[in-house]
Amino acid sequence: MALIVQKYGGSSVKDTDRIKNVAKRVAGYRQKGDQVVVVVSAMGGGTDNLIRLASEINQLPSEREMDMLLATGEQTTIALLAMALHALELEAVSLTGPQAGIMTDEVHAKAKIKNISPKQVHNMLDEGNVVIVAGFQGMSPDGRITTLGRGGSDLTAIALASALEADLCQIYTDVDGVYTTDPRVVSKAQKLDEISYDEMIELSSLGARVMQSRSVEFAKKYNVKFEVRSSLNNNPGTIVKEETDSMEGVVVRGVSLDENQAKVTLVRVPDTPGMAARIFSALAVGAINVDMIVQNISHGSATPATDISFTTDKPDLPKALKVIKGLRKEIEFAEVISDEDIAKVSVVGVGMRTHSGIAAKVFETLAAGRINIEMISTSEIKISVVVESGKGETATQQLHDAFFPVEK
């Protein structure tokens, strides 16, 4: 008998037929004698619909009330799945995140899990139940409902698998596993049998929509090996695990595209020590994640000045601009320019640590496709470029063709 944690995303539970299919899959494991904990997302499109409703009421709703609203999406799914399992004559019980013992910090919309007390879950498993937990949510120390950010159900599942010391963690989605790139963008994308935590973290943070990057970081920290697989078939998935020596033989593991990025440029910032610290400290206090940063000497200014550009997620752009506006009295920059018409394309692979020439190949490939690069960022295992949004898919296709040529 094994203890298994399974997570089903919105596409896997998007309607009652798919919820019934999930129930049948869970029943198959339960009938083998396994204990099963199921973490579910809101039904496909459910969270977007709640956000739309909120925007019709208030264009800038409080994050506290948004968390209260969005948490209802997962609560709908857990109840429906419990009912589907009851219809199959299986004992099942649904729990909200707080009921499952998930405690977070006090940050709304992007809360971090601080602790999990799984006693309630263990008790219900011991009573013979399938335990269904609402993903994406927890509770702050003062009793407020919090949410973990987009893709937070992945984090719920990984964290529960760690806290419960589960034998197996499975992340179910609508694709067969992790691919060399998004198969919806590049039809010749290839499924990977395995991938390291570091590679998965980079791909997830750079736009790959399979996993939330924070959940993979958590898995790496607590050494939770997991499998990404499809809820629509029984094909083997992709194992995400600790890096092995053999993995360095693969120079590039994947190409990702992130079209959910925006760029902010502060023009003619005084070129004096501490200016960048003031700007990015203020953004950090506002809980705004910044990715790529570029600083250039600003020409045409009588006094020493610099232009500072950074990228952030599109949903964070209004908050970022509000923070920057608040710095206007403290820092006398000329103007702020925002641009949502961008895409970030990245090449990732642990083998890049020991192989040269990857950056040159990236730039040569984009140049051959007449695609202009606006920003560049690198690490040991990735190269990211910002391009015009209309060129994002083309850049992804060309880079994938360059690093994953189809054998004739």
Side-chain angles (χ1 to χ4, degrees):
M1 182 177 70
L3 171 54
I4 301 171
V5 174
Q6 299 180 336
K7 178 261 176 178
Y8 293 90
S11 59
S12 300
V13 292
K14 72 174 185 177
D15 53 37
T16 53
D17 285 339
R18 289 204 175 177
I19 290 174
K20 290 177 182 177
N21 286 336
V22 168
K24 291 176 183 176
R25 185 181 292 271
V26 172
Y29 283 92
R30 189 72 191 95
Q31 287 162 1
K32 291 188 292 184
D34 296 325
Q35 292 182 313
V36 186
V37 175
V38 183
V39 175
V40 293
S41 300
M43 297 172 69
T47 299
D48 289 336
N49 185 53
L50 292 171
I51 292 172
R52 180 184 59 79
L53 291 174
S55 67
E56 291 176 2
I57 299 292
N58 187 333
Q59 287 296 317
L60 288 172
S62 77
E63 291 185 333
R64 180 193 186 281
E65 299 308 327
M66 281 301 293
D67 277 1
M68 185 68 77
L69 174 67
L70 297 183
T72 65
E74 280 70 21
Q75 289 170 213
T76 299
T77 314
I78 59 174
L80 291 173
L81 181 55
M83 295 173 191
L85 286 165
H86 294 161
L88 297 176
E89 299 185 351
L90 286 174
E91 295 296 321
V93 62
S94 62
L95 297 175
T96 65
Q99 288 174 330
I102 299 173
M103 304 301 296
T104 74
D105 60 18
E106 298 177 348
V107 177
H108 285 290
K110 293 181 180 177
K112 290 183 171 60
I113 294 176
K114 306 300 287 186
N115 184 49
I116 296 181
S117 302
K119 183 177 179 181
Q120 172 92 317
V121 176
H122 275 302
N123 289 342
M124 291 181 169
L125 287 171
D126 291 342
E127 291 171 3
N129 289 291
V130 172
V131 180
I132 309 161
V133 179
F136 176 65
Q137 61 184 246
M139 186 171 69
S140 67
D142 59 357
R144 287 178 284 127
I145 296 293
T146 56
T147 63
L148 308 178
R150 281 286 190 167
S153 294
D154 293 337
L155 180 56
T156 302
I158 297 292
L160 275 173
S162 176
L164 293 167
E165 298 182 354
D167 299 294
L168 179 63
C169 183
Q170 299 171 321
I171 306 294
Y172 285 95
T173 180
D174 58 352
V175 293
D176 283 347
V178 181
Y179 282 72
T180 48
T181 194
D182 188 339
R184 289 164 287 200
V185 175
V186 180
S187 60
K188 296 177 183 177
Q190 305 160 27
K191 185 170 75 73
L192 301 169
D193 294 329
E194 62 179 16
I195 187 171
S196 72
Y197 291 128
D198 286 339
E199 290 169 325
M200 193 70 228
I201 289 168
E202 290 284 13
L203 288 172
S204 298
S205 65
L206 296 170
R209 290 178 282 180
V210 177
M211 289 285 295
Q212 182 209 49
S213 60
R214 281 170 57 200
S215 62
V216 189
E217 290 170 0
F218 193 102
K220 178 184 177 181
K221 181 177 181 179
Y222 293 99
N223 197 28
V224 178
K225 185 169 76 171
F226 61 93
E227 181 184 18
V228 179
R229 58 185 303 176
S230 174
S231 63
L232 307 179
N233 57 51
N234 293 313
N235 297 338
T238 301
I239 300 296
V240 184
K241 63 178 186 177
E242 190 173 4
E243 182 182 330
T244 59
D245 291 340
S246 63
M247 287 181 172
E248 285 200 359
V250 179
V251 181
V252 171
R253 189 74 64 173
V255 180
S256 68
L257 169 65
D258 188 353
E259 297 179 298
N260 194 39
Q261 292 281 296
K263 181 172 70 170
V264 178
T265 301
L266 283 71
V267 180
R268 291 201 292 277
V269 178
D271 191 14
T272 56
M275 286 298 172
R278 291 187 201 178
I279 294 166
F280 293 106
S281 293
L283 292 167
V285 170
I288 297 163
N289 289 329
V290 172
D291 181 22
M292 303 170 72
I293 302 171
V294 172
Q295 180 171 327
N296 297 309
I297 296 298
S298 183
H299 298 286
S301 177
T303 57
T306 184
D307 296 340
I308 298 178
S309 298
F310 65 87
T311 60
T312 189
D313 292 337
K314 278 185 184 177
D316 283 343
L317 180 60
K319 289 195 298 179
L321 293 176
K322 184 178 179 180
V323 169
I324 296 301
K325 184 178 179 181
L327 291 171
R328 203 64 184 264
K329 294 179 181 178
E330 182 182 348
I331 302 175
E332 295 180 355
F333 48 84
E335 63 176 321
V336 178
I337 302 170
S338 62
D339 183 5
E340 296 183 74
D341 189 27
I342 64 169
K344 181 171 62 178
V345 184
S346 306
V347 173
V348 175
V350 294
M352 292 168 64
R353 294 191 186 117
T354 53
H355 292 75
S356 60
I358 307 304
K361 189 170 183 177
V362 168
F363 302 146
E364 288 168 0
T365 299
L366 295 177
R370 302 185 67 80
I371 296 173
N372 189 50
I373 298 172
E374 298 181 20
M375 299 174 75
I376 301 169
S377 175
T378 65
S379 74
E380 275 191 314
I381 67 168
K382 65 105 179 192
I383 299 169
S384 295
V385 297
V386 167
V387 301
E388 178 188 339
S389 63
K391 302 285 189 179
E393 290 195 2
T394 302
T396 303
Q397 175 76 66
Q398 291 177 351
L399 288 171
H400 189 272
D401 289 348
F403 287 102
F404 301 95
V406 177
E407 295 181 3
K408 296 182 180 180

